[in-house]
């Protein structure tokens, strides 16, 4: 009996001392092997994108449930998002942007009315195609939908003007399914100052905006600091009791003078708060040279169209625009997006990074290799090439944003 126990002990010791299975070294793979591995990771891992402008695209494109104009349950010839391409790219939970243009702020009631209509449109998409899409109001919902093979449709409101001047609308929109609110958009609003506006109406958050942030904490809506001015950003961080997000922002170091992106100081402050910065893919967000070139190309094309009595819709104009743009201002590449992720990782760590593409919201400026939702594996492959681990990728894809979201949920539950 003792001999048997001794032999069992030896075998257990041998097992305990055996080296762990070595982690896969993706850096030693060929590009083809790495892309295959990246595709497998993308499709087997929950992937959240902080900002996809599909609802407004559906509004502009004439959304219909009868498949007459725009039906994203099937592959579409334009735009960046649809169900088949989402499945190819491994996208599982694109935050649907309930986008309120700044012009609506000038008309009392217009912002809230538009928000309600876009929310309804998103809900109708899920109800019309229940075998493909489902609403999601929590990380748990996304996990359940993922297990069923469904694309989750969480919602975030882009521009806090949607609440009008009534704090009670925050609880109303939470009940409607809104899980983050971008405090401002293109111009200053009642909540605070915007990055694109130089007016500095409030010098940061307004007194009303301070109450908005507190109430968002209380009801369980994530505070989104994309689009806000630096002063608004700092004011919000000083008030919030929970981590915040930037749903679609990139690194200002690569775009000097572009306040819409985040400075190193703001990135560090957000990390200290425990928040998550979700990287925007738009060409002007990731490459200042492309942004400058785009301005020159745009000016030339406007003049050329006028001289030739053409519009952008004319086939001859489209061919010329495509050729001229390619020759005079080549798109940035997927490597540029990886550079932004690298910078945030090196500055504050892997725990504060997410994806916020701005698909369907940045026009044709998207980089080569990231033109639509089918192409996330190209970015993942580039990160693997740079030494990122599978665990790093999982954090970027969903674990970091889930951590923030759950913290917001828990705080709201404790505040009730």
């Amino acid at each position: 009996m003792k001999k048997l126990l001794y032999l069992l002990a030896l075998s257990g010791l041998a097992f305990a001392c055996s080296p762990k299975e070595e982690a896969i070294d993706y850096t030693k793979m060929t590009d083809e092997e790495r892309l295959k591995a990246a595709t497998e990771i993308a499709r087997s891992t929950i992937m959240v994108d902080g900002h996809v402008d599909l609802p407004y695209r559906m509004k502009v494109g004439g959304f219909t449930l009868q498949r007459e104009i725009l039906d994203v349950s099937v592959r579409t010839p334009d735009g960046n998002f649809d169900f088949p391409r989402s499945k190819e790219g491994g996208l599982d939970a694109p935050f649907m942007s309930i986008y309120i243009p700044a012009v609506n702020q000038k008309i009392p009631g217009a912002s809230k009315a538009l928000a309600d209509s876009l929310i309804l449109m998103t809900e109708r998409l899920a109800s019309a195609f229940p075998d493909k899409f489902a609403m999601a109001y929590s990380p748990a919902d996304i996990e359940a939908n993922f297990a069923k093979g469904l694309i989750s449709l969480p919602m975030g409101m882009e521009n806090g003007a949607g609440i009008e001047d009534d704090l009670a609308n925050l609880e109303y929109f939470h009940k409607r399914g809104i899980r983050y609110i971008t405090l401002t958009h293109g111009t200053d609003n009642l909540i605070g100052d915007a990055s694109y506006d130089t007016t500095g109406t409030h010098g940061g958050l307004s007194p009303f905006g301070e109450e908005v942030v507190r109430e968002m904490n209380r009801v369980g809506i994530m505070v989104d600091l994309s689009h806000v001015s630096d002063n608004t950003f700092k004011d919000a961080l000083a008030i919030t009791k929970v981590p915040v997000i930037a749903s679609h922002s990139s690194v200002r170091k690569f775009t000097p003078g572009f306040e819409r992106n985040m400075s190193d100081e703001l990135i560090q402050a957000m990390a200290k708060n425990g928040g998550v910065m979700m990287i925007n893919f738009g060409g002007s967000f990731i490459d200042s040279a492309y942004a400058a070139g785009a301005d020159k190309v745009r000016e030339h094309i406007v003049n050329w169209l006028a001289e030739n009595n053409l519009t952008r819709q004319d086939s001859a104009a489209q061919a010329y625009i495509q050729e001229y743009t390619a020759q005079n201002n080549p798109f940035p590449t997927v490597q540029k997006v990886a550079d932004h992720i690298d910078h945030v990782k090196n500055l504050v760590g892997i725990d504060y990074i997410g994806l916020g593409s701005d698909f369907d919201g940045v026009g044709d400026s998207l980089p080569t290799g990231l033109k639509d939702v089918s192409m996330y594996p190209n970015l993942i492959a580039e990160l693997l090439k740079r030494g990122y681990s599978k665990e790093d990728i999982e954090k970027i894809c969903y674990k970091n944003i889930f951590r923030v979201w759950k913290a917001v949920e828990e705080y709201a539950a404790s505040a009730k």
Side-chain angles (χ1 to χ4, degrees), residues 387-405:
Y388 286 69
S389 68
K390 185 173 184 287
E391 182 182 2
D392 292 337
I393 302 301
E394 290 171 347
K395 287 185 175 183
I396 293 171
C397 285
Y398 79 101
K399 288 184 176 179
N400 291 339
I401 184 61
F402 271 19
R403 170 180 54 77
V404 172
W405 196 346

Side-chain angles (χ1 to χ4, degrees), residues 108-334:
S111 296
K112 181 176 181 295
L114 177 58
D116 279 327
S117 70
L118 295 179
I119 290 170
L120 180 60
M121 194 177 296
T122 304
E123 292 171 337
R124 290 176 66 197
L125 178 63
S127 63
F129 307 105
D131 58 329
K132 294 181 173 66
F133 301 106
M135 301 305 296
Y137 308 110
S138 67
D141 287 346
I142 293 174
E143 290 171 338
N145 291 336
F146 178 74
K148 298 174 185 176
L150 300 174
I151 303 294
S152 290
L153 302 176
M155 295 183 292
M157 183 189 295
E158 185 179 22
N159 192 353
I163 69 169
E164 303 288 346
D165 58 355
D166 188 352
L167 287 176
N169 279 328
L170 288 167
E171 189 160 6
Y172 167 81
F173 278 118
H174 183 268
K175 289 178 180 177
R176 291 297 315 271
I178 295 297
R179 289 301 177 265
Y180 76 67
I181 293 178
T182 318
L183 298 184
T184 68
H185 192 254
T187 63
D188 300 350
N189 61 18
L190 294 177
I191 295 171
D193 297 342
S195 60
Y196 285 135
D197 199 334
T198 59
T199 307
T201 303
H202 311 287
L205 277 180
S206 69
F208 176 69
E210 294 176 2
E211 293 304 311
V212 167
V213 171
R214 294 187 182 99
E215 184 67 1
M216 287 172 69
N217 285 178
R218 188 189 72 81
V219 303
I221 297 176
M222 289 181 281
V223 176
D224 177 19
L225 299 182
S226 288
H227 278 289
V228 303
S229 71
D230 287 7
N231 286 336
T232 302
F233 196 109
K234 294 172 185 176
D235 287 349
L237 283 183
I239 292 171
T240 184
K241 301 297 183 183
V242 292
V244 300
I245 67 170
S247 67
H248 57 307
S249 294
S250 296
V251 176
R252 197 180 299 172
K253 178 184 177 181
F254 298 100
T255 57
F258 186 38
E259 190 176 353
R260 172 66 179 79
N261 275 347
M262 288 170 57
S263 68
D264 285 3
E265 178 190 5
L266 296 184
I267 295 169
Q268 290 170 322
M270 175 171 276
K272 185 177 180 181
N273 158 268
V276 173
M277 177 183 180
M278 310 181 83
I279 302 298
N280 192 310
F281 297 173
S284 296
F285 287 80
I286 60 173
D287 187 350
S288 59
Y290 174 80
D295 289 339
K296 294 179 181 179
V297 166
R298 191 178 300 111
E299 181 180 0
H300 169 82
I301 289 172
V302 168
N303 292 331
W304 183 87
L305 289 171
E307 292 168 2
N308 290 274
N309 197 29
L310 293 172
T311 70
R312 287 179 178 271
Q313 285 67 46
D314 293 314
S315 58
Q318 291 176 1
Y320 178 82
I321 291 169
Q322 183 175 0
E323 182 180 356
Y324 184 86
T325 301
Q327 291 177 352
N328 292 274
N329 192 35
F331 291 109
T333 65
V334 67

